Amino acid sequence: MAALAAAALTSSARAAIVVGKLMPWGQRTTPALQAKALEDGRAVSLTEFSGQVVLLNFWATFCEPCEREMPALNRLLLKYGAQGLKVVGVNCGEMPQRVREFLDERVIFDGLPLLDRSQAQLKAWGIPALPASVLIDRQGRAQAWHVGELNWDAPEVQQVVKDLLAQR
């Protein structure tokens, strides 16, 4: 799994990524989300968040940038949750017990933790490395994405979130 965090980006993926900036999702279709809730193992899909803006974050316990990013994700949720932002963290490939221990002992995550044990979601969403995030509008359409650690406190990043929240 460590190889996943250090995965080399293909030239086409590199061309679509600008470090530190959310990029438009473009004309690609929004994949279905198929993951299990860490809390109770129930299946979770994007339809569960209809009418909300979703920040879908792909992460793993071994990924230091993922861990560093989580406090900023919590701050976003605190700031914009009442306006309809949902932060969903999809753990990629790890056992539930390991994820629980990580969240209990190393970092607080106030969003909804999901599990993708098979890592099928990485392929479905075209995620080349961790962490990665996708912003999804209230209609369930992916609008922006970023691969790598992102400063979610940056005004230009928060403006993208605010713009999505303002759309009805």
Side-chain angles (χ1 to χ4, degrees), residues 1-76:
M1 279 191 283
L4 176 63
L9 301 177
T10 65
S11 58
S12 62
R14 259 190 246 111
I17 298 168
V18 175
V19 175
K21 182 177 180 197
L22 282 165
M23 300 302 296
W25 184 256
Q27 297 301 315
R28 297 179 289 163
T29 58
T30 303
L33 174 64
Q34 298 175 354
K36 305 272 185 195
L38 176 63
E39 181 181 331
D40 57 13
R42 69 184 162 81
V44 176
S45 70
L46 283 179
T47 58
E48 186 171 317
F49 311 110
S50 180
Q52 297 177 309
V53 171
V54 177
L55 192 168
L56 191 60
N57 179 260
F58 295 89
W59 68 281
T61 63
F62 59 79
C63 170
E64 289 181 22
C66 300
E67 184 175 354
R68 288 192 304 264
E69 197 174 49
M70 284 188 175
L73 297 176
N74 291 337
R75 287 190 296 276
L76 263 185

Side-chain angles (χ1 to χ4, degrees), residues 1 4 57-62 90-94 99 114-119 121-122 127 130:
M1 279 191 283
L4 176 63
N57 179 260
F58 295 89
W59 68 281
T61 63
F62 59 79
V90 180
N91 176 274
C92 301
E94 297 182 278
V99 175
L114 301 181
L115 301 171
D116 175 25
R117 292 268 304 118
S118 69
Q119 299 183 18
Q121 294 303 288
L122 291 174
I127 304 298
L130 299 175

Side-chain angles (χ1 to χ4, degrees), residues 49 52-54 135-143 164 167:
F49 311 110
Q52 297 177 309
V53 171
V54 177
L135 277 168
I136 301 163
D137 68 18
R138 293 180 189 273
Q139 289 73 44
R141 299 176 305 228
Q143 295 295 321
L164 288 173
Q167 296 174 4

